Amino acid sequence: MTDHSPSAALLAKAETLTEALPYLNRYAGATFVVKYGGHAMGDGERQRDFAEDVALLKAVGINPVVVHGGGPQIGAMLKKLGVESSFVDGLRVTDAETAQVAEMVLSGAINKELVAWIGEAGGRAIGLSGKDAGMVRAVKVTRTTRDPDSHIERAVDLGFVGEPQLIDRRVIDTVSAAGMIPVVAPIGIGADGQTYNINADTMAGALAAALGAARLFLLTDVPGVLDKGGDLLTDLDPARIAGLVADGTISGGMIPKIETCVTAVEAGVDAAVILDGRVPHAMLLEIFTRRGAGTLVHARGLEKPSV
């Protein structure tokens, strides 16, 4: 006699859909801002997974807004063109020639490649930069550095590196309402018409705040914030984060990412999440399962709905 009962694999898929239902209801109509960057951008399989995830979010009634980075690709193009680069505290010093190359790579090659991947996955995406319709008004970044011997602080000129000052959300709202997915290159424009290169994490955080996003996702090359034993910290608030920075648990390149998350949630974003973009469908696991997949930062008690 033939056994017609469902296989364990099919039952597992059904259970996954059942688990996702309350989260689908909770986030219907919400805006998610997703910063996509790191080494996952150079991996065709990972890019395809990411594009499928973004297209799925739009299909189930969530409004994703993608902000992409491109530091490694800019570096590769500068090297190919023989343009020297220097860095201060992890930020590229951007002279006029470097700014032109950065805009070419970010607004051109990378942006349109992501638009194409999302289109192939069944979504309708449109490539933008902060210059389009004056969406992101930027101001020049000011930085200081301390001399390790004299401890004297001095100003550092990073060139055409900017940070968002004002966000006009109308173009994002228009694109999203038309059923399309905005894919934003981190380029802004100054009051004098000058083009500024903006850190992609910073750009994503500013857009999330301006859009009143339910979630800000920073996809990176690490699982999230780890404790001193190497275990993932899944739930943090600004007070605990301050302590983890003070005792050295959070250090190096994680500090600006976690600062972006804190700034976003304090500006009204419901929660920000640091995720490993190398893990297939990590964003979907974080959104639609009880366990989650990264480090969630929130300003107050925020829990996933029970099923």
Side-chain angles (χ1 to χ4, degrees), residues 9 73 79 82 85 102 136 149 151 183 191 205 208 216 228 243 247 274 303:
Q73 292 87 340
K79 184 177 180 180
S85 291
V136 179
D149 298 320
H151 302 292
V183 179
L216 165 65
K228 290 186 176 180
D247 71 12
I274 299 174
E303 298 179 355

Side-chain angles (χ1 to χ4, degrees), residues 18-295:
T18 301
E19 183 180 354
L21 182 58
Y23 309 122
L24 290 169
N25 290 333
R26 179 179 185 176
Y27 298 128
T31 296
F32 287 180
V33 175
V34 186
K35 184 266 180 172
Y36 182 55
H39 296 296
M41 288 185 65
D43 184 311
E45 184 177 351
R46 296 292 172 260
Q47 285 181 315
R48 186 176 294 105
D49 288 344
F50 174 76
E52 290 173 350
D53 292 353
V54 171
L56 175 63
L57 291 179
K58 189 68 176 180
V60 299
I62 294 168
N63 294 311
V65 177
V66 177
V67 179
H68 62 80
Q73 292 87 340
I74 293 170
M77 181 60 73
L78 290 170
K79 184 177 180 180
K80 184 176 181 180
L81 296 173
V83 179
E84 294 284 337
S85 291
S86 60
F87 293 83
V88 174
D89 296 334
L91 292 175
R92 189 189 304 275
V93 177
T94 305
D95 58 17
E97 186 176 14
T98 302
Q100 288 181 336
V101 173
E103 184 171 17
M104 175 182 69
V105 173
L106 291 168
S107 296
I110 295 175
N111 190 273
K112 301 314 174 190
E113 184 178 29
L114 278 174
V115 166
W117 277 113
I118 293 170
E120 187 176 318
R124 297 174 63 216
I126 184 166
L128 302 166
S129 84
K131 293 172 72 172
D132 290 308
M135 178 169 58
V136 179
R137 175 67 61 84
V139 293
K140 184 181 176 71
V141 163
T142 58
R143 289 287 187 274
T144 60
T145 187
R146 185 184 295 274
D147 186 277
D149 298 320
S150 67
H151 302 292
I152 296 174
E153 287 194 352
R154 62 182 180 86
V156 176
D157 187 355
L158 293 170
F160 300 110
V161 176
E163 57 191 3
Q165 181 186 44
L166 295 171
I167 304 286
D168 186 338
R169 57 178 288 176
R170 287 177 294 178
V171 66
I172 298 290
D173 290 339
T174 300
V175 168
S176 293
M180 293 180 282
I181 299 165
V183 179
V184 183
I187 300 290
I189 190 165
D192 58 356
Q194 177 61 56
T195 297
Y196 288 100
N197 187 20
I198 300 172
N199 175 273
D201 288 344
T202 303
M203 181 80 141
L207 280 174
L211 294 168
R215 285 289 188 276
L216 165 65
F217 295 95
L218 300 183
L219 272 62
T220 184
D221 299 329
V222 294
V225 178
L226 307 179
D227 65 17
K228 290 186 176 180
D231 294 321
L232 180 67
L233 296 172
T234 58
D235 193 288
L236 297 175
D237 59 33
R240 190 176 179 199
I241 287 167
L244 293 171
V245 172
D247 71 12
T249 300
I250 299 176
S251 61
M254 184 56 70
I255 289 179
K257 292 186 181 299
I258 206 74
E259 287 177 345
T260 294
C261 292
V262 170
T263 299
V265 299
E266 289 182 341
V269 176
D270 287 348
V273 188
I274 299 174
L275 285 171
D276 191 341
R278 300 167 301 180
V279 175
H281 307 298
M283 189 163 55
L284 299 186
L285 292 172
E286 172 61 33
I287 300 166
F288 298 127
T289 67
R290 287 185 293 272
R291 181 178 179 276
T295 298

